[in-house]
Amino acid sequence: MLVLVSAIPRGRRRAMSACVTALLCLGALIAASALAAEPIARGTAPNAARDHWAYQPIREPDLPAVADSDWPTSPIDRFILARLEAAGLSPSPPADRRTLIRRAYIDLIGLPPTYEQVESFVRDESPDAFEKVVDELLASPHYGERWGRHWLDVARYADTKDLVLAFGADRVRPYAYTYRDYVVRALNEDTPYDRFIHEQLAADRLDLDDEPWRLAAMGFLTLGRMFDNNLHDVYDDQIDTVTSGLLGLTVSCARCHDHKYDAIPAADYYSLYGIFAGSEAPIDLPLIEPPATPEAVAFEEALSVKRLEFQRFLDEQYDAILESARLRVTDYLMKIATQRPDPIEEAVFFLSLSPEALRPQIVVRWRRYLAHSDRADDPVFGPWRELLNLPTRDFNVAAKMVVERWLARPLGTAAGQINPLMHAALSAANINTRADVAELYGSLLVRAYEAFKSTEGVKDAALTQLLSPLVDEGGPIHFPKRSTFAYMSRVEADRYHASLREMDRLAAESPHAPPRAMVLTDGPEPVQPRIFLRGSPFQLGEAVPRRFLSVLDGQESSPFTDGSGRLELARAITAADNPLTSRVIVNRIWMHHFGEALVSTPGDFGNRSSPPTHPELLDHLAWTFQREGWSLKKLHRGILLSRVWQQASDDRPDCRRVDPYNRLVWRANRRRLDFESMRDTLLAVSGRLDPVIGGRPVDAAGDPDNRRRTIYGLVDRQSLPAVFRAFDFAVPDQTVPRRAQTTVPQQALFAMNSPFVIEQARALARHPAVAQETTTHGRIAAMYRRVLARAPLEEETVLAASFLERATHEAAADPPRHVTATDDLTPWEQLAQVLLMTNELMFVD
C-alpha cells in the first residue's frame, strides 16, 4: 500500500491521506486484537532503577587535583585537565584573538563580528578584554534570537498546521509566532530556567505581574502536530515533548506497555496523560497586546462576531448530540444487546457520520459501562447483566427465572436491592429475546428522562438513579465540550472546521490582527485517568492518579490535585531534588558551545544512554546552575571564560591517536555554521541584514530578497523547504534535542547557484565600503574586510586581481548567455560570491 501511495501525484496523495490513515488504524486495531495474548514488555522497577547514574542526586563535587596547576582558571578547567592528564594528554594552546572573538560572536548571537570589532578586541590589551566582549554579547538582543532557535528545536516549533487538505492561509497558525517571540524575549531577559519551564507548562496559572506576553509561553504545549484532531495523539506528543525535552526521558514509549528499558510503567504515562487531557485550548485566545490602532479595533470587532457565531453553533451542537443520545438510548442498548462489538467502534476517527447514525464512541462507553463488575448487584442494571449472559437456547424460560429472582429482592437503591421503578417495569415486561431486554431498559430510561425534563429536576432517589447514566458527567453519554467535533455528523463537522479555518485565515491574512497567546486552560473538571490497555482508549485498565514519574518522585508520591495538575508538574520538574532537569539543560548548553555533549544522547538520559564523559563536571555545572538562580547567561559566561572553551582547534596527531573523537576535549572542535547562522552571516556581511526583533513569519526560504534573520522564517511542518532539509534543519514533527550533521552536494550547490547567495554577492559588490574604493587592490581589501573581517594576504590580493582581470577579459570576448543567474554576475560580483563560499566564512575554528 505504501508503495502505491508514494506513486500517486502529491496533490492527490494529500487528499487520500485521511482514508489511508483510517484503513491503517483499522488494520492496527485488528492486529492488536489478534496479538492480545502477547506478554507486555516490562522495564526496570523504579526502586532498582535509582542506581542508574542519571537518577543520582546532584551534589557539588570536589575539585580534582591536577599536575599543571597554572593552567586552570575555572573549575571547568580543572575537571577537563584532570581527565586529560589521566590519559597522558595536555590541553591545546589558546586560540588567537581573531579566532576567539569570531567564535564567541557565532556561539552567542549567531552573527560574525565586523572588521572594526575584531580590530578593537585585538588592540585591547586589558586583562578583562574578552570578558567585556562576552558580557556585551550576552546583553545583545540578538542573543535571544540565536539561543531561541536552539530552544525552538526542542519545542518542535512550526508556523503551520498539519491538517489534511490545508493550503495557503488555511495552513498557517496565525498566532504561532507569539511563542517564538516569547522565547527570544524570555532568553534576552535571562528568565530563570525554572520559571521558563513553569511559564511554558502553566502560564495560565501564574501571577504574571502585568506581563501578558508571557502567556505566549504555552505554545510549547500547543504548537505540536494536530494529528487530524486525534486528541490521544496530541496528548502523546505533549508528553513526549515535555519528558524528552525537559527531563531527557522517553516516557512516550510507555503508551502501550511498560517501557522496555527504563523504569517508566504505563501507569506513569497515563498519570501524565490525565494532566494534559484535563487541559483545553479556549476558542477565544487571550490578547497579549490590546488593539492599538483603529484598524486593529475594527479587526477585533469583526472577529468577535465570527467567534460568537462559532460558539453558539458549538453550544447548539453539543446540546443536540447529548439530547439525541439520551432520547435514543433504546437504539444504543439494542445495538449492544443484539450485535457483537464492531472493530470500527474503536477506530481513532470516523470517515463519515450521518445524522441518524449512532455515535461509535458512545456505543463503546455504553458497552464498558454495562460490563463493569459493579453492575452485578446494581439495583438498575443487575438484571441486564444476568439476562444478557443467558444462552440463546430457551432464553425466555431462563429469563423468567431471572426476573422472578430480582422481583423477590427488597425495594431500594442500594447494592443487592432493586430500584422501585425497575421493579415495576420488570413486573409488566414479557421478555423473550435480548431485544426485549433492550426495549425494556430503553423505554424505562427515556420515560425517566422525560419526567426529569418535565419537572425540571427531581429529588426522588429511584428516578435519580435511573437518570445517572444519562445526565451524570461520568456516564456513558457525557463527553467534554471540546470534543464535540468528534461526535458531529459530517455536514456539521465540516462546518465546524470551516469556521475555525475562517477565523484563523482572517487573523493570518490581516496585518492588523493583534497578537494572541496560544494557551491551554484547565477543563471544568480534572480528568481521572485510567491505563489504556495496549494504548487503546476503548480498553480501559486500572485507574491511576495524576502525579509525577515514580522513578523520580517515589511510588507513594502525592497525586496532583490543583486543577489539571500542569502547574504541579512544572514544579516537580524543576524541584531541587529532581536530578534530571538541570543536568539535561547544562548538557545541551555544553553541546552547543563545543559541538559535542557530555552525554552524547541529549534527549535520552535513560538506561540506554551513554554515561557522561565527565560525570563530575556535569554535576558541577548542574549544581552551580541551580545555585546561581537557574541563570542561562551565567552558565554561558562561565563556559566561555574557561580556558577549555578558548583552546585552539588545530589538530594534534599525538592526542588524536589516544582520543580520536576528542571526547576529552584536548582541543576545540572546528564546526560548520548551522543553516540559520550561515544565512544570517551572508546577510550581515553583505550589509542587508534587517535587525528588527520579532514579528510575523516571513518567507526566508523562497524569497531571495528577504532580509530578516532566519529564525523569523516561516516553518511549514507539512512542506519543509528543500533548503532547510539540505542544511539539517530540525524537522518539527517532534522534539529535536540535537540536529543531524551531514555534508552533501546540495549544500555546495546552494552556495554556487542559489538566488539568495547571488543576491548577497551583488549587494556585497555594491556595498558603499567596497564601491567607494577607487583602486582594484583597495576594493579587494574592502571586500575581505567585509566578509572575513581581516585584510587579505598579499598572495590573496594578487590572486583576486588576476581573477578579476581574466573574468573581465572573458566577459568582453564572450558575452554571457544568461542561462543561469550566475551568468549575469559582473566580475566583482563573482569575486564576492567566491568569498561568500569560502570555508573561512562557513566554518568556525
Side-chain angles (χ1 to χ4, degrees):
M1 178 181 292
L2 295 178
V3 173
L4 291 175
V5 170
S6 66
I8 298 172
R10 187 175 181 181
R12 294 183 183 178
R13 198 187 315 163
R14 283 185 173 179
M16 293 180 63
S17 61
C19 298
V20 173
T21 304
L23 292 173
L24 292 175
C25 290
L26 180 56
L29 287 168
I30 296 172
S33 299
L35 295 173
E38 280 191 6
I40 296 177
R42 298 286 176 182
T44 308
N47 289 333
R50 292 197 180 94
D51 293 335
H52 180 55
W53 67 266
Y55 303 135
Q56 302 308 304
I58 296 173
R59 296 186 176 90
E60 182 183 16
D62 295 330
L63 294 180
V66 294
D68 184 3
S69 58
D70 293 334
W71 187 78
T73 59
S74 73
I76 293 174
D77 298 332
R78 295 182 70 93
F79 287 108
I80 293 295
L81 182 59
R83 290 293 309 278
L84 289 173
E85 291 180 342
L89 303 177
S90 62
S92 292
D96 66 80
R97 292 172 77 86
R98 295 183 183 278
T99 298
L100 196 62
I101 188 173
R102 184 168 188 270
R103 188 189 298 173
Y105 266 73
I106 296 297
D107 263 21
L108 290 180
I109 67 171
L111 296 171
T114 65
Y115 174 78
E116 292 75 20
Q117 289 166 332
V118 172
E119 290 301 312
S120 174
F121 174 64
V122 170
R123 292 192 301 267
D124 189 347
E125 297 180 357
S126 61
D128 63 344
F130 185 65
E131 188 175 343
K132 289 186 293 186
V133 168
V134 171
D135 289 340
E136 180 182 333
L137 293 175
L138 289 173
S140 167
H142 298 307
Y143 160 79
E145 294 175 316
R146 171 61 164 167
W147 285 87
R149 183 57 256 184
H150 291 321
W151 184 258
L152 295 182
D153 286 2
V154 176
R156 56 24 179 155
Y157 174 82
D159 292 287
T160 64
K161 310 163 189 174
D162 59 326
L163 294 174
V164 175
L165 300 179
F167 304 100
D170 285 347
R171 81 190 196 284
V172 177
R173 278 174 157 152
Y175 304 111
Y177 74 94
T178 62
Y179 173 69
R180 177 245 293 147
D181 288 355
Y182 158 81
V183 172
V184 172
R185 184 172 177 180
L187 293 181
N188 276 335
E189 296 191 3
D190 201 20
T191 301
Y193 184 66
D194 55 347
R195 174 73 179 194
F196 188 58
I197 290 176
H198 295 172
E199 290 173 356
Q200 291 181 88
L201 299 188
D204 62 309
R205 300 296 309 279
L206 299 175
D207 181 3
L208 298 180
D209 297 326
D210 298 323
E211 294 183 298
W213 64 272
R214 292 187 182 274
L215 283 171
M218 298 191 69
F220 184 75
L221 295 178
T222 59
L223 285 175
R225 290 182 59 195
M226 299 181 71
F227 299 97
D228 286 314
N229 297 307
N230 177 3
L231 293 177
H232 304 299
D233 285 347
V234 171
Y235 304 146
D236 179 73
D237 171 70
Q238 292 170 340
I239 291 170
D240 181 58
T241 302
V242 169
T243 56
S244 179
L246 305 181
L247 296 169
L249 292 178
T250 55
V251 172
S252 61
C253 292
R255 181 178 183 178
C256 301
H257 51 70
D258 292 349
H259 200 293
K260 187 174 182 180
Y261 302 111
D262 292 327
I264 304 170
D268 278 4
Y269 175 92
Y270 286 100
S271 292
L272 300 181
Y273 178 98
I275 295 171
F276 297 111
S279 305
E280 57 187 46
I283 295 170
D284 190 9
L285 298 174
L287 283 167
I288 296 174
E289 299 172 5
T293 64
E295 293 83 1
V297 172
F299 171 84
E300 280 298 306
E301 290 174 351
L303 187 63
S304 65
V305 172
K306 297 286 185 183
R307 195 179 294 119
L308 287 173
E309 291 176 355
F310 177 79
Q311 188 63 59
R312 190 180 304 113
F313 165 72
L314 183 63
D315 292 342
E316 291 171 354
Q317 281 295 302
Y318 180 72
D319 294 339
I321 293 169
L322 283 180
E323 185 70 1
S324 174
R326 290 162 179 159
L327 296 178
R328 296 189 63 191
V329 64
T330 302
D331 295 335
Y332 281 99
L333 296 180
M334 189 68 71
K335 181 177 178 67
I336 294 166
T338 60
Q339 299 180 32
R340 296 177 63 82
D342 188 333
I344 197 64
E345 292 175 6
E346 298 188 7
V348 174
F349 61 90
F350 313 98
L351 297 181
S352 178
L353 286 174
S354 61
E356 66 276 3
L358 299 180
R359 278 22 188 180
Q361 311 97 311
I362 296 177
V363 173
V364 169
R365 287 203 297 274
W366 263 118
R367 289 190 192 279
R368 192 164 65 231
Y369 181 86
L370 295 170
H372 197 275
S373 59
D374 290 348
R375 303 289 170 254
D377 276 337
D378 188 272
V380 174
F381 289 101
W384 170 283
R385 187 181 179 92
E386 283 198 48
L387 291 168
L388 267 292
N389 284 331
L390 294 175
T392 304
R393 184 181 179 89
D394 297 327
F395 180 89
N396 59 336
V397 176
K400 184 176 181 181
M401 298 174 61
V402 170
V403 170
E404 289 176 351
R405 287 200 302 273
W406 275 92
L407 291 176
R409 293 195 178 200
L411 300 179
T413 56
Q417 299 177 333
I418 183 170
N419 183 288
L421 297 175
M422 187 73 243
H423 183 280
L426 278 178
S427 300
N430 182 21
I431 300 176
N432 296 304
T433 65
R434 287 184 171 83
D436 293 338
V437 178
E439 185 67 37
L440 165 69
Y441 271 87
S443 299
L444 178 60
L445 293 178
V446 170
R447 288 198 305 272
Y449 182 61
E450 296 286 3
F452 168 75
K453 289 199 300 180
S454 64
T455 58
E456 296 183 356
V458 294
K459 298 295 184 181
D460 179 76
L463 188 57
T464 299
Q465 190 173 50
L466 284 179
L467 289 169
S468 176
L470 302 185
V471 300
D472 286 358
E473 287 193 353
I477 287 175
H478 176 78
F479 58 88
K481 184 176 289 188
R482 65 181 180 276
S483 301
T484 303
F485 69 89
Y487 293 77
M488 291 179 183
S489 301
R490 180 60 179 269
V491 173
E492 286 73 22
D494 287 347
R495 179 182 168 188
Y496 171 89
H497 293 299
S499 297
L500 285 178
R501 286 195 301 271
E502 182 181 9
M503 289 188 290
D504 280 355
R505 188 188 312 118
L506 287 173
E509 292 179 339
S510 172
H512 306 295
R516 291 179 177 270
M518 296 184 63
V519 301
L520 291 177
T521 59
D522 289 347
E525 293 291 334
V527 169
Q528 302 303 322
R530 298 177 67 179
I531 295 174
F532 293 173
L533 302 179
R534 298 196 172 277
S536 170
F538 303 105
Q539 300 182 46
L540 297 186
E542 63 179 305
V544 293
R546 289 169 289 115
R547 66 180 186 186
F548 197 39
L549 302 176
S550 53
V551 71
L552 297 175
D553 209 29
Q555 294 278 28
E556 305 302 323
S557 60
S558 301
F560 295 158
T561 58
D562 183 7
S564 66
R566 279 183 290 108
L567 181 56
E568 290 166 289
L569 173 63
R571 288 171 174 161
I573 288 173
T574 57
D577 59 354
N578 177 1
L580 286 177
T581 306
S582 56
R583 280 189 178 124
V584 167
I585 188 60
V586 301
N587 183 62
R588 289 196 184 139
I589 299 294
W590 182 276
M591 176 184 70
H592 289 305
H593 281 305
F594 287 89
E596 294 294 336
L598 298 172
V599 180
S600 61
T601 52
D604 183 4
F605 275 41
N607 287 338
R608 303 283 285 182
S609 66
S610 302
T613 56
H614 298 75
E616 295 83 6
L617 173 57
L618 181 66
D619 272 14
H620 165 76
L621 293 171
W623 185 86
T624 305
F625 180 59
Q626 290 192 28
R627 183 189 63 181
E628 295 184 341
W630 300 77
S631 169
L632 291 170
K633 287 191 176 183
K634 289 181 180 178
L635 178 60
H636 291 303
R637 194 174 189 276
I639 291 174
L640 265 66
L641 295 181
S642 70
R643 299 197 68 177
V644 175
W645 185 86
Q646 296 178 23
Q647 293 179 99
S649 61
D650 298 334
D651 185 28
R652 297 162 61 201
D654 56 332
C655 294
R656 178 160 39 84
R657 281 192 294 271
V658 177
D659 181 22
Y661 297 106
N662 195 27
R663 303 296 190 203
L664 300 180
V665 202
W666 47 267
R667 65 177 175 92
N669 290 309
R670 192 172 196 236
R671 291 175 286 156
R672 191 186 72 206
L673 298 181
D674 57 27
F675 176 65
E676 291 88 343
S677 291
M678 180 268 291
R679 182 179 176 276
D680 295 347
T681 291
L682 294 177
L683 285 168
V685 299
S686 67
R688 300 183 72 245
L689 180 66
D690 181 352
V692 172
I693 307 292
R696 295 187 175 221
V698 296
D699 184 6
D703 180 7
D705 292 325
N706 189 278
R707 303 182 179 197
R708 298 297 307 282
R709 286 201 71 168
T710 314
I711 188 175
Y712 303 116
L714 186 138
V715 180
D716 189 341
R717 177 173 277 127
Q718 281 187 289
S719 184
L720 199 64
V723 65
F724 282 27
R725 289 183 273 112
F727 284 94
D728 308 316
F729 188 85
V731 177
D733 285 342
Q734 61 184 11
T735 179
V736 177
R738 181 177 192 165
R739 293 187 182 183
Q741 293 182 344
T742 64
T743 302
V744 295
Q746 291 90 329
Q747 295 163 356
L749 291 172
F750 173 82
M752 295 170 63
N753 303 310
S754 162
F756 174 79
V757 175
I758 292 169
E759 186 59 37
Q760 310 322 307
R762 288 182 172 135
L764 176 60
R766 295 192 304 264
H767 194 281
V770 176
Q772 70 186 3
E773 295 290 340
T774 58
T775 66
T776 298
H777 285 196
R779 292 184 72 182
I780 292 171
M783 198 172 283
Y784 266 80
R785 289 194 294 268
R786 287 291 308 172
V787 178
L788 303 179
R790 66 173 175 83
L793 302 175
E794 183 177 350
E795 56 265 33
E796 290 173 329
T797 301
V798 171
L799 183 62
S802 174
F803 170 81
L804 289 167
E805 181 180 356
R806 185 171 61 254
T808 302
H809 176 74
E810 291 176 351
D814 183 16
R817 292 166 293 172
H818 310 295
V819 175
T820 66
T822 55
D823 292 331
D824 291 332
L825 294 180
T826 67
W828 281 104
E829 291 168 348
Q830 292 178 42
L831 177 61
Q833 185 181 10
V834 169
L835 290 180
L836 295 178
M837 294 169 57
T838 57
N839 281 350
E840 187 173 347
L841 184 67
M842 294 297 175
F843 284 77
V844 181
D845 287 324

